[in-house]
Amino acid sequence: MARPRKFDEERAVDAALEAFWTAGYEATSTQDLCEATGLGRSSVYNTFHSKRDLFRRALALYMRRRSDQLAALLEEDVPARDKVRALLDSVIAEETGAEDDGRGCLYVNTAVELASRDPEVAHELERDYARRHDALTAALEAGRRAGDIDRAKDASALAHFVTATVSGIRVAARAGAGEAALCAIARTALDAI
């Protein structure tokens, strides 16, 4: 008979998320995961099977949280342009505020580190991108209908543009761009929509 688990699996995934987010997939060792989760090596492997499987669960948790944040922002009862402004402002605040820890965005980090050589991770990133794109497209289309967004512009193309702007702000921040530069990027993006 198998012994019952004496730990909270979701809490362990959350702790692993922090470890992967801090160091990246390749640089996070099994020992790092054991220290982060408080689990022994056998518990990590018996529960999650492999470092890669644990990473995929952690990445899914991260993407779910980010999607929930975006959904909450897009549900606000404000014009679409204000929703985009709030999104860009929140990204800038994350990248320059007191809580900025230099880790950047796990989604962007994973796309750069793994997507080109791990088709399953690349597929998960694509699915998440599509979910966020669809949510942004719907908000921007509603803005077009309301007259807040230029009716001559394609909502789907604008959603791609906003997503690329968010990623660009994150990368620019990691490359050393200051708050003024990031705000200029956001203003330019808002002018474009």
Side-chain angles (χ1 to χ4, degrees):
M1 177 194 269
R3 293 189 327 203
R5 290 191 181 133
K6 296 187 192 266
F7 63 90
D8 180 345
E9 194 170 310
E10 289 306 309
R11 206 172 109 230
V13 172
D14 194 32
L17 164 60
E18 293 299 319
F20 285 124
W21 194 0
T22 299
Y25 176 76
E26 292 295 337
T28 302
S29 68
T30 303
Q31 185 57 41
D32 295 331
L33 293 171
C34 291
E35 290 171 11
T37 62
L39 301 175
R41 212 173 269 272
S42 63
S43 292
V44 168
Y45 284 109
N46 287 337
T47 304
F48 303 108
H49 308 292
S50 69
K51 171 182 160 179
R52 183 173 176 276
D53 287 344
L54 178 53
F55 175 77
R56 289 179 65 195
R57 291 224 5 221
L59 179 62
L61 175 62
Y62 178 86
M63 292 187 299
R64 185 172 58 251
R65 287 177 178 167
R66 289 297 177 152
S67 292
D68 290 348
Q69 289 172 341
L70 178 62
L73 188 145
L74 294 178
E75 289 172 5
E76 294 285 323
D77 189 22
V78 297
R81 183 176 301 280
D82 291 342
K83 292 176 184 183
V84 173
R85 179 179 291 113
L87 171 62
L88 297 177
D89 287 348
S90 72
V91 171
I92 291 168
E94 286 175 17
E95 297 298 332
T96 62
E99 294 180 24
D100 175 36
D101 51 17
R103 295 184 299 180
C105 170
L106 183 62
Y107 179 95
V108 172
N109 297 348
T110 301
V112 171
E113 183 182 8
L114 294 176
S116 66
R117 56 192 168 86
D118 189 324
E120 290 177 348
V121 168
H123 180 69
E124 290 168 21
L125 294 172
E126 289 167 11
R127 286 180 49 208
D128 183 66
Y129 183 96
R131 278 191 299 273
R132 288 182 290 117
H133 175 265
D134 291 347
L136 278 167
T137 299
L140 292 164
E141 184 58 41
R144 283 182 68 238
R145 286 192 306 274
D148 180 46
I149 303 293
D150 184 347
R151 291 175 195 240
K153 305 243 172 126
D154 178 79
S156 177
L158 288 175
H160 286 300
F161 175 70
V162 169
T163 301
T165 301
V166 167
S167 295
I169 287 171
R170 292 188 186 286
V171 171
R174 299 268 322 255
E179 186 172 0
L182 302 179
C183 288
I185 294 168
R187 277 192 311 275
T188 302
L190 287 166
D191 288 345
I193 63 168

